[in-house]
Amino acid sequence: PIDPEFTEHREVVDEHEGHDVWGPVEEPETLGIHGTHVAVDFDICIADGACLEDCPVDVFEWVDSPGHPESEIKADPTHEGQCIDCMLCVDVCPVDAIDVDAG
Ligand code: SF4
Ligand code: F3S
Ligand code: ZN
């Protein structure tokens, strides 16, 4: 599962669509964590899609990740600023790739 303390254990190495990317990143196999309030560990995401389907405010969008060992698309928290902290995405992700800091 995603490390809930990732902001303490990782560094911001990039920015993507207005959100931070927490490294390490070594494309295409290692993509890091996208987002901070709504964080998706791209190296864990298997493109299940439940988060996109269930988020009531459409925080997520698909992005391509060709060559990644787990999946060739990822759920990107493009609109993390819209999150209402319902925690549905955290509950439905089958591989626990998502952390929402509702604190
Ligand atoms: Fe969407 Fe709720 Fe997840 Fe926020 S916590 S990203 S509102 S499903
Ligand atoms: Fe990925 Fe989990 Fe969403 S596997 S697509 S973050 S439900
Ligand atoms: Zn992103």
Side-chain angles (χ1 to χ4, degrees):
I2 186 170
D3 175 6
E5 311 281 299
F6 72 91
T7 59
E8 281 156 44
H9 300 153
R10 294 175 179 236
E11 305 284 333
V12 174
V13 296
D14 202 358
E15 195 171 299
H16 179 240
E17 301 285 338
H19 54 260
D20 288 333
V21 179
W22 300 80
V25 171
E26 198 82 48
E27 292 180 3
E29 309 83 17
T30 308
L31 298 175
I33 291 175
H34 282 232
T36 303
H37 179 73
V38 180
V40 179
D41 192 325
F42 274 23
D43 295 310
I44 296 175
C45 175
I46 58 170
D48 177 83
C51 58
L52 273 94
E53 282 171 33
D54 289 1
C55 177
V57 292
D58 295 331
V59 162
F60 304 97
E61 287 186 15
W62 290 121
V63 294
D64 293 327
S65 56
H68 190 272
E70 298 298 341
S71 60
E72 306 238 314
I73 53 173
K74 303 292 178 184
D76 196 35
T78 313
H79 311 289
E80 68 172 354
Q82 297 177 10
C83 176
I84 57 170
D85 298 344
C86 73
M87 305 309 266
L88 261 178
C89 58
V90 172
D91 291 342
V92 296
C93 178
V95 289
D96 291 331
I98 308 175
D99 181 70
V100 174
D101 178 16

